[in-house]
Amino acid sequence: YGGFGLLTILGLFAFEFFWKKSSRNQSLDKSYYGISKNWGRGILVGLLFSAFFILLTRIRTFSTVAQLITPTIALASAGASFIVVFFLASNFEENFFTGTTLSFFNLYLPFWLSAILKGFLFSLAHLYAYVYVANSTLPLALGAFVGASIFGIATAYLAKYQGLEASITAHAIFNGFSFIT
């Protein structure tokens, strides 16, 4: 997570330079997906999103599909503590993948494509946990990869419309619930 933090900080310093070079007509504060001015609402939306996502995985109709596409925290947290999984992972990963990476992509690409690329990179960064840590089968690893991509795309939209705090909250609650259960 130190690497994610360092890259995020470097990205913050370099972002204005790339923003000036891009052809986007929006202001600098609208171009970087950070904490919104109405952060309380963003946290509430993140809580509601994670609760909906968790409830959806508990409905019998969706549970089989959800089990296939939901990466389990046990894969990614072998030997990790709740604080690491709940607080550090969600903060560092969302700041890097959503705040920095998504913002850079969106300088040069349409948002929908930026969100897909962000989701893919988010999932790719977790591939080690899906394949090596868990010694999972190919279908489970691919399912977890797809699920993490979908989650990465969803958090991109949360950050765009609510703020980075919404995606961090959703990620933290999902990680924490998965870690506990």
Side-chain angles (χ1 to χ4, degrees):
Y1 293 113
F4 284 147
L6 182 61
L7 289 171
T8 300
I9 291 168
L10 291 174
L12 283 170
F13 285 114
F15 189 76
E16 187 174 359
F17 172 80
F18 287 97
W19 172 76
K20 288 178 183 175
K21 300 282 183 197
S22 76
S23 60
R24 292 286 179 193
N25 291 334
Q26 57 191 69
S27 65
L28 180 61
D29 66 324
K30 297 274 189 211
S31 297
Y32 194 88
Y33 298 107
I35 303 296
S36 71
K37 291 178 184 170
N38 194 352
W39 55 267
R41 184 181 70 194
I43 290 172
L44 180 62
V45 169
L47 286 168
L48 292 173
F49 172 82
S50 60
F52 174 74
F53 188 78
I54 290 167
L55 285 174
L56 195 63
T57 64
R58 300 295 176 225
I59 297 171
R60 181 175 293 269
T61 307
F62 299 107
S63 64
T64 304
V65 174
Q67 285 175 348
L68 180 63
I69 67 168
T70 304
T72 59
I73 294 302
L75 300 181
S77 65
S81 70
F82 179 78
I83 296 297
V84 170
V85 172
F86 178 77
F87 183 74
L88 291 179
S90 57
N91 276 284
F92 280 98
E93 289 176 9
E94 289 302 325
N95 272 289
F96 175 71
F97 288 110
T98 305
T100 303
T101 305
L102 178 68
S103 297
F104 272 100
F105 284 157
N106 199 45
L107 287 176
Y108 303 101
L109 301 169
F111 183 79
W112 65 270
L113 184 56
S114 299
I116 290 170
L117 286 172
K118 179 262 184 182
F120 177 77
L121 287 177
F122 176 79
S123 199
L124 195 61
H126 293 83
L127 193 60
Y128 173 79
Y130 305 148
V131 176
Y132 297 106
V133 174
N135 292 324
S136 67
T137 64
L138 183 60
L140 287 176
L142 288 175
F145 185 83
V146 169
S149 293
I150 292 168
F151 190 80
I153 293 167
T155 57
Y157 278 91
L158 280 174
K160 178 178 181 170
Y161 293 109
Q162 294 299 317
L164 187 61
E165 68 279 5
S167 65
I168 291 171
T169 302
H171 194 157
I173 298 300
F174 176 75
N175 280 7
F177 179 82
S178 298
F179 186 86
I180 289 169
T181 58

